[in-house]
Amino acid sequence: MTVKEELINIIDSMPEESLTKIIDIIKEQQYLDEAIDMETNGKVIVKTLEELEELEK
């Protein structure tokens, strides 16, 4: 499954209020563009939520 497909599955199962917050975060940080570029270039990196939270600290 591609990153894009995984994101669609996650988004489909989220409540509406969570989607609004996540869309704002994506727009601010441009994570989606980076993920699509990485997927296109064959450089997909998968991290757990815990690993991503550590990076933010």
Side-chain angles (χ1 to χ4, degrees):
M1 186 178 303
T2 65
V3 170
K4 193 180 210 176
E5 291 168 332
E6 288 183 43
L7 284 172
I8 290 169
N9 287 338
I10 292 167
I11 289 169
D12 283 345
S13 65
M14 295 181 85
E16 180 94 23
E17 61 273 3
S18 295
L19 284 176
T20 304
K21 290 178 188 174
I22 290 186
I23 288 170
D24 290 341
I25 290 170
I26 289 171
K27 286 178 181 175
E28 289 173 15
Q29 302 296 323
Q30 299 178 342
Y31 290 137
L32 187 56
D33 288 340
E34 290 177 28
I36 291 170
D37 287 343
M38 289 172 70
E39 180 182 12
T40 302
N41 294 322
K43 299 177 182 174
V44 175
I45 298 172
V46 178
K47 293 216 178 275
T48 64
L49 287 175
E50 292 82 14
E51 288 172 318
L52 292 173
E53 287 171 354
E54 272 302 307
L55 289 175
E56 290 181 351
K57 292 181 181 177

